[in-house]
């Protein structure tokens, strides 16, 4: 109800709002979480499971949640090039999410090798300090003008409906 009131008073269309819910928060009370997620989804809000892989989501819960995106926890991403098990986890999450119709964000991308590997695995979006740290709105505008990511990926960014934030950048064309 609070979110609906805030959206109404701000005039912001619900589809411009994305909420990230941690996997562990969902799993504390899965039935209640599903009820709330369904209400938010009906409002048109984009829903993302944050820190995926750390909260022990049952596949039966994942199958019933009205989510749009899964964010792979950085603990798997950061070490995937040095740890085959982490690489397998990342690959599996990407395939599972795509097969279920979800977009995938990789958290914790801190170097070009990770970014390239994730792109090769079909990950949709990357987030991390290699791309940029969180910024104030004015700083973001300056970053957007000067960043190698914004210029090098201008076509890619426009193809993904400008889905770029201060620390997130799409790595796969839509």
């Amino acid at each position: 109800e609070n979110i609906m009131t805030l959206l109404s008073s701000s005039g912001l269309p619900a589809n411009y709002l994305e909420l990230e819910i941690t996997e562990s928060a969902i799993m504390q009370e899965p039935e209640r979480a599903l009820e709330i997620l369904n209400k938010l989804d009906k409002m048109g809000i984009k829903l993302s499971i944050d820190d995926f892989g750390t909260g022990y989501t049952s596949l039966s819960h994942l199958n019933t949640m009205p989510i749009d995106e899964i964010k792979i926890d950085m603990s798997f991403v950061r070490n995937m090039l040095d740890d085959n098990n982490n690489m397998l986890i990342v690959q599996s999450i990407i395939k599972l999410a795509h097969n279920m119709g979800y977009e995938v964000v990789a958290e914790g991308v801190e170097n070009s090798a990770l970014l390239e590997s994730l792109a090769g695995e079909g990950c949709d979006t990357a987030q991390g300090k290699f791309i940029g740290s969180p910024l104030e709105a004015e700083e973001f505008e300056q970053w957007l003008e000067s960043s190698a990511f914004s210029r090098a990926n201008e076509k890619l960014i426009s193809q993904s409906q400008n889905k770029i934030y201060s620390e997130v950048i799409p790595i796969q064309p839509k």
Side-chain angles (χ1 to χ4, degrees):
E1 290 79 24
N2 288 340
I3 292 171
M4 192 180 319
T5 301
L6 289 170
L7 285 171
S8 179
S9 66
S10 71
L12 181 73
N15 63 316
Y16 285 113
L17 179 61
E18 177 176 338
L19 297 178
E20 295 181 6
I21 302 96
T22 62
E23 182 181 15
S24 57
I26 291 170
M27 294 316 298
Q28 285 177 359
E29 292 186 67
E31 291 80 19
R32 175 95 172 106
L34 182 60
E35 177 185 327
I36 293 169
L37 291 173
N38 280 323
K39 286 180 182 179
L40 294 168
D41 181 58
K42 286 179 184 169
M43 292 169 56
I45 295 170
K46 184 173 180 180
L47 300 170
S48 178
I49 297 181
D50 194 22
D51 300 332
F52 188 80
T54 62
Y56 311 106
T57 297
S58 160
L59 293 180
S60 64
H61 287 111
L62 186 61
N63 191 36
T64 61
M65 286 187 261
I67 59 169
D68 303 289
E69 179 180 84
I70 290 177
K71 295 182 85 172
I72 304 172
D73 187 70
M74 71 177 72
S75 63
F76 303 115
V77 174
R78 283 186 179 157
N79 301 315
M80 66 184 248
L81 299 179
D82 300 320
D83 182 331
N84 193 50
N85 288 331
N86 282 332
M87 176 63 87
L88 291 171
I89 290 169
V90 169
Q91 290 170 334
S92 298
I93 292 172
I94 291 169
K95 283 185 180 183
L96 173 68
H98 284 163
N99 286 338
M100 295 182 81
Y102 306 142
E103 289 188 34
V104 181
V105 177
E107 299 178 314
V109 177
E110 296 185 355
N111 59 58
S112 62
L114 278 173
L115 185 64
E116 289 173 21
S117 180
L118 288 160
E121 295 300 329
C123 188
D124 301 300
T125 308
Q127 173 181 344
K129 292 184 179 179
F130 177 68
I131 296 156
S133 298
L135 302 169
E136 297 294 327
E138 305 80 41
E139 294 173 306
F140 174 71
E141 288 177 15
Q142 293 171 355
W143 175 88
L144 189 59
E145 288 297 318
S146 62
S147 170
F149 290 106
S150 64
R151 292 296 160 231
N153 292 303
E154 197 167 288
K155 181 179 178 188
L156 189 61
I157 291 167
S158 66
Q159 287 175 338
S160 64
Q161 303 171 5
N162 291 323
K163 183 185 177 183
I164 179 169
Y165 317 113
S166 62
E167 60 185 70
V168 181
I169 189 163
I171 57 177
Q172 294 293 321
K174 296 288 177 197

